[in-house]
Amino acid sequence: MQKSWVLTLKCVDGPGIVHAVSGALVAAGGNIEESQQFASLDTGSFFMRIEVTAVAQPETFEARFKECLMPVVNRYSMQWSLTESGHKLRTLLLASKATHCVNDLLYRQRNEQLPIDVPLVLSNHTVASDLAAFYGVPFEHIPVVDQESKQRFEDRILEVVEEHDIELVVLARYMQILSPALCEKLAGRAINIHHSFLPGFKGANPYRQAHARGVKLIGATAHFVTTDLDEGPIIEQDVVRVDHASSPEKLQQIGQDREAQTLRRAVGWFAENRVLLDGNRTVIFQ
Amino acid sequence: MQKSWVLTLKCVDGPGIVHAVSGALVAAGGNIEESQQFASLDTGSFFMRIEVTAVAQPETFEARFKECLMPVVNRYSMQWSLTESGHKLRTLLLASKATHCVNDLLYRQRNEQLPIDVPLVLSNHTVASDLAAFYGVPFEHIPVVDQESKQRFEDRILEVVEEHDIELVVLARYMQILSPALCEKLAGRAINIHHSFLPGFKGANPYRQAHARGVKLIGATAHFVTTDLDEGPIIEQDVVRVDHASSPEKLQQIGQDREAQTLRRAVGWFAENRVLLDGNRTVIFQ
Amino acid sequence: MQKSWVLTLKCVDGPGIVHAVSGALVAAGGNIEESQQFASLDTGSFFMRIEVTAVAQPETFEARFKECLMPVVNRYSMQWSLTESGHKLRTLLLASKATHCVNDLLYRQRNEQLPIDVPLVLSNHTVASDLAAFYGVPFEHIPVVDQESKQRFEDRILEVVEEHDIELVVLARYMQILSPALCEKLAGRAINIHHSFLPGFKGANPYRQAHARGVKLIGATAHFVTTDLDEGPIIEQDVVRVDHASSPEKLQQIGQDREAQTLRRAVGWFAENRVLLDGNRTVIFQ
Amino acid sequence: MQKSWVLTLKCVDGPGIVHAVSGALVAAGGNIEESQQFASLDTGSFFMRIEVTAVAQPETFEARFKECLMPVVNRYSMQWSLTESGHKLRTLLLASKATHCVNDLLYRQRNEQLPIDVPLVLSNHTVASDLAAFYGVPFEHIPVVDQESKQRFEDRILEVVEEHDIELVVLARYMQILSPALCEKLAGRAINIHHSFLPGFKGANPYRQAHARGVKLIGATAHFVTTDLDEGPIIEQDVVRVDHASSPEKLQQIGQDREAQTLRRAVGWFAENRVLLDGNRTVIFQ
C-alpha cells in the first residue's frame, strides 16, 4: 500500500491559492490523488483538502512538502494540517447510562471500520463498564452529583486529553452540560450527538411528544460542542421513517440506532480530516 | 379490469370487530383483496381499511355490502366509508405566488398519476393563472388585502366546496392563515404543506437561518389544517440532503422540490382512503 | 410486557377464510393486534399473519386458540404456525473465510437486536474461530477438501440441526455448494447471501468486472437455498451507491457491508415469522 | 448573477497539471469557485472540472483564459472544453411508443429544471406527437419498418444533428438498435436508458420474469450508446423497492418512473459537463 498524506488548509479567499499550493507540491515531488476546495461566500474563507502521494522517496516526502509549503502558508496566513493517511485518531469517549453510541464506536474501532484509537471511556455512571471491558478498553467512573464532582470530572477530561494526546472528545450520550470554560478549551475538537425531529420539540421526553404529534421521521444531529447548548456547528444529520404503529419506546429505540450511525459518520469524517470549520457552519469534504 | 371497493372504518377497539366485518363481507358475496388494521393504544380506537371485490354480480355488490354492513356499523358505532377504487377525488387548490406545488399536482392529474379531479384553482395572486390555463383548469383570482377581502376569499372557498362537491381542499403554498371558523368547517379535509428543518427555525426566512446554521437536511411536512397553525395531524414528511455549498436560494429551491413531492404523496394517500385520523395523529395504511 | 403470539397460515384462497380465523380467535378469547393478508394471483394461495393477545387468562390462551383453530385449519387444509412473540430462533451459522456476516449476526444476537440463538458456528476454515470465541459461541472446524470431507461437513450439519432443534441454517458467506439432498432436507429453512449487481456479472471476481464497467450501484441478495444455485426465492435485496473513485477492493468492502445488512434483515424477518413461501416467490409481511 | 464558466479537461496523469492549469487561470485573472479532480488508476488518465469566475472584466475573460490555457493544453495534450455556465444543451429526443421519458424531459425543460433546449422530437411512432405539441416542441414521425426506412430514420438523425448543432442525442425509450456506423458518429454524445434488475433477466418481458422471481428491487441504467448493445459506459443507475403485492404491470409502471428519473439525472449531469469518459467507465463530478 502506497503511503499518502492529507493536507487541509483554510485562509482568506483570493486568486492564486491553489496555484501556490500545487506549486509547493510539485517542488516537493508530490502528486495530487484527490482534491476538494470550497470558497465560502458567507465568511470569505477558502478551504482545501488534498490527498497526495510522493512521486519518489516517500520516507522524506513529509519533511520536503512542509518545507516547500511553509512560504505559502505564511503568505496566505493559512491554518493548516498535514497528516499521514490511516492515522488513528486518539479519541476520548464520555458516557452516561445509554450505551448505544459507545457500543457502536468501540465495535467499529475493533473491526477497523473507524480509524480511531480510544485509550479510555470516562463515565459518570457504571453502565458502560462491562462493554468497555468486552472491547478491551480502559474504563473510569467518576460520579457527577454536585458542582464539585462535576468539576472533578471536567478536570479529569483535561488531564486525559493532555496525558493521551487526545485529538477528539466524543460525548457519546454523555448527558451533562460541559462548562463554558471546558467548551472553549475543547473548541473544534469535541463532538456531541442528540436526537432531532421535524418540527423540534422542547422539554422533557421528546420521543413521547413526537409520538403524540404522529411524526413520520425521527432523526439525529452530530455537532461540535459550543457553549450554546445543542447549537454548535452541525457535522451530520440523518433521519429514519417511522409510522403510526410505533410506540414512544419503539421510537426511542429507532432514534438511538440513528444516533449511533450519525455519530459514527461524524467521527469518521473528523478522523479523516474531512470536517473544517467555517464560522458556525462546517465544510464537509466527502 | 375487475371492479373493487375500499372500505375504511374506525370505532372503539374490542374483540370481534374483524370477525363481524368479514362476516358482513361473506354474506354480501365479497372477497378481501387487501386488508390493514391498527389498534391505537393512545386513543383506544380501532382502524381498518380493506379492499374488496365481488365474487359474483359486481353491479349490485355495493348495495348488498352496505346492507350487510349496516348492523355491524350500528353495533360498534363505526365511522365508515365505502368507495369504488379509482374514484377521482374532487379537489380544490388554493394558491398564492409560489407555483411549484400547484404545478406538480396539475401535472400528476393530467398524467393520471394522482386520482384527483381539480375543478378550480383559487388564488390571492395571479401568478398561477398561466399554469392553470396550460393544464386546462379554471383559475379564479380574489386578491386578499384586508379583512373584508379575506372574508370574501373564504366565503368563495365554501361556495366552491358546496358547488363542486369538493372532497379535499389543498393549500398548495397558499400563504394565508385560514380563519378558525373555516378551519373547523374543513376539519379533516384540508391539507397544508410547509418546509421543515432539524432543528426547527422560527421567524422569517427559515432557509437563510438553516444556511447560517449549516444544516445537512431540509424537509417538508404535509398536515391537516387545524386552528393551531402548522400543528395539525402530520400526514407525511420527507427530507433531502444538502451540503455546505448550497446557498440559501439553492436550499429554497431544493426545499420546494421536496414540498411538492411530500404534498403529492399526502394527497395521493388521502385520495386512496389511506389516511385516517386518530386524535392529533394520523394512521396511514400504505 | 403483555404476552403475544404470531399466527401465520397459508391455504388455497377463497371467501370466508378471514372470517373463520377471526371466529376462532374470538371463541378463544383473543384480540388482534396486527394483521396482514395477501392473496397471490400467481398461485391462488392466501397468506395471513396475525399478532394476537389474550383478552384474559394468557397462560392458557395458546392451548385454547389451537383448539378453536383446528377445525378451521382442517376445513381449509392450512399450513400454519403459532409462535409466542419474542421466541429466539435456534440458528446454525455456516462460515468460510470471510467473517463480515458471521460478525454482524453474532453482534446483533449479543445486543438483542436479532431474536436468534446461535448454538454453533460450523466452518470449513478456522478464520472465524476467534470471533466466535469473542462472542462466546461454540465453533467447530471441519475442513472441506474432497467429496468425502464435504459429505462429513454436510452430515454434521444435519446432526447439529437434529441435536439443537435448529430452525434456520444461515450460509453466512459459506462458500460451498450444498448437495441437492441437503438442499431438499433444509428446504424453506436455509438462507444464503450473495452479492448482486445491475447488470449481473458472470464468472470470477465480479467486483473487478463491476469496476471495469463503472457501475454506480452494488448490492446484495438474501434468498432461500434451493438446488438451483443462487436462484432460490428472494427474501431481501439492497444496494448502495458507489462512484468512479472506488477501487475493486473498495467496492468489495462496501459490498460486504451491504451483504451483512441484507442478510441480517432477512434473518430477522424470518425469525419474526414474516417470510412465507409462495412457489418461487416470497411474501414478506413487514 | 455573476457569470461563470466550466472548464473540463482530460490528459495523461502526471505531476504539475493542476499547477499549470491554475497558473493559466491566475494569469487570465480568474478565480476558482469549485474544483474536482480524479486520477484513474485504470487508464492513467487525469480528469478535472473547475468552475471559474472573472476577478474583473468578465466580458473578455473567456478569450483571455483560452489564450493562457492554450500552452498548457498543448504541453499535456489535453482534451478540454470551456463552457459558460447555464448554457442550454441542444438536445435531440428519439422516441417510440412509451412516452414517460419524453414527458419528463420536456416537463423539466419547460420548468427550467434541466438546462436543455430540445428543437425536435423524432419518433418511429406517432404516440408522442400530442405530448410534444403540448410542450410546444416540433415533432417528426418517420416509421421504421424495414432496413430502408431504418436508414432513412438514421440519416434524418444526422441531418438534425448537423442542422441544429445538436450536442446530445437522447434515446428516450427509442426501441430501435442504432447501426454501428451511427453509434460511432454519435460516440460520447448519445445516451440510452433501460430497465435493470438484480439479477439481470435476459429475453422478453423482463418485468414478468422479475415478478416470477419475486425480486425486491427494480431499477434503471442510463448509459452512453455504443455498438455493444446496453453495454456502454454507465452514467447513472437507480433502484426502487417493490414487494410481493406488485403485479408485473405495476412493476413496469414503477420501473418506468425510475427510468424517467434516472435518465433525467444523466442528461442533467451531461448538460453541466459533469460526465467525462474514462475508457469504458465514466467519471461523474457531482
Side-chain angles (χ1 to χ4, degrees), chain C residues 95-97 99 123-131 139-143:
Chain C
S96 285
K97 282 182 177 171
T99 59
S123 179
N124 62 333
H125 289 280
T126 55
V127 184
S129 165
D130 277 9
L131 190 67
F139 177 88
E140 196 174 315
H141 174 229
I142 300 177

Side-chain angles (χ1 to χ4, degrees), chain B:
Chain B
M1 183 92 174
Q2 202 187 359
K3 268 188 166 189
S4 69
W5 290 262
V6 172
L7 170 71
T8 61
L9 58 87
K10 175 182 173 181
C11 62
V12 174
D13 192 20
I17 300 170
V18 172
H19 190 54
V21 171
S22 58
L25 182 64
V26 169
N31 203 16
I32 295 179
E33 295 299 318
E34 196 188 313
S35 160
Q36 287 160 301
Q37 295 134 50
F38 178 67
S40 169
L41 295 174
D42 297 281
T43 59
S45 296
F46 175 84
F47 301 85
M48 191 169 182
R49 179 188 189 273
I50 55 175
E51 207 170 319
V52 300
T53 50
V55 175
Q57 294 172 284
E59 60 289 343
T60 57
F61 172 77
E62 192 170 330
R64 292 198 314 272
F65 190 24
K66 279 185 181 168
E67 200 185 310
C68 297
L69 205 59
M70 216 37 68
V72 179
V73 160
N74 290 333
R75 187 180 344 143
Y76 290 96
S77 302
M78 288 171 171
Q79 292 174 34
W80 66 289
S81 77
L82 183 65
T83 320
E84 195 178 325
S85 301
H87 165 74
K88 293 196 172 176
L89 193 78
R90 287 175 302 277
T91 305
L92 168 62
L93 301 191
L94 306 186
S96 286
K97 283 181 176 171
T99 58
H100 55 288
C101 287
V102 174
N103 189 19
D104 191 82
L105 292 172
L106 294 182
Y107 168 72
R108 303 283 157 183
Q109 175 191 230
R110 182 180 178 278
N111 288 283
E112 307 203 332
Q113 293 173 1
L114 265 185
I116 58 172
D117 172 17
V118 179
L120 183 69
V121 175
L122 188 58
S123 179
N124 62 333
H125 289 279
T126 55
V127 184
S129 165
D130 276 9
L131 190 68
F134 180 70
Y135 287 108
V137 172
F139 177 88
E140 196 174 316
H141 174 230
I142 300 177
V144 172
V145 292
D146 52 18
Q147 272 310 107
E148 201 195 317
S149 54
K150 185 174 169 151
Q151 188 57 50
R152 210 177 309 128
F153 196 100
E154 295 206 345
D155 289 348
R156 183 60 184 138
I157 292 176
L158 288 174
E159 245 179 62
V160 175
V161 165
E162 184 79 8
E163 200 177 304
H164 290 278
D165 210 2
I166 291 296
E167 295 164 292
L168 179 67
V169 176
V170 177
L171 283 68
R173 298 304 287 159
Y174 176 64
M175 300 305 281
Q176 298 283 325
I177 297 170
L178 301 190
S179 69
L182 186 59
C183 287
E184 235 155 88
K185 275 178 193 145
L186 299 178
R189 47 182 183 144
I191 293 177
N192 188 27
I193 180 76
H194 64 82
H195 42 63
S196 286
F197 302 91
L198 320 79
F201 298 102
K202 303 284 177 193
N205 208 330
Y207 285 107
R208 192 160 294 280
Q209 289 186 63
H211 174 81
R213 183 74 200 286
V215 301
K216 305 304 182 192
L217 295 175
I218 60 177
T221 297
H223 63 92
F224 281 112
V225 174
T226 59
T227 50
D228 257 1
L229 183 64
D230 292 348
E231 296 284 326
I234 295 170
I235 300 169
E236 171 63 340
Q237 301 186 295
D238 205 1
V239 294
V240 63
R241 195 161 275 275
V242 294
D243 70 14
H244 56 268
S246 306
S247 64
E249 292 70 32
K250 178 87 187 195
L251 288 187
Q252 181 161 3
Q253 187 190 320
I254 293 170
Q256 290 186 342
D257 262 15
R258 199 51 42 145
E259 288 168 20
Q261 287 178 37
T262 304
L263 180 59
R264 173 211 317 164
R265 273 209 293 268
V267 169
W269 294 340
F270 187 93
E272 293 178 344
N273 295 295
R274 296 183 181 278
V275 182
L276 286 84
L277 268 169
D278 179 29
N280 200 35
R281 314 176 73 226
T282 60
V283 173
I284 309 288
F285 285 137
Q286 284 182 287

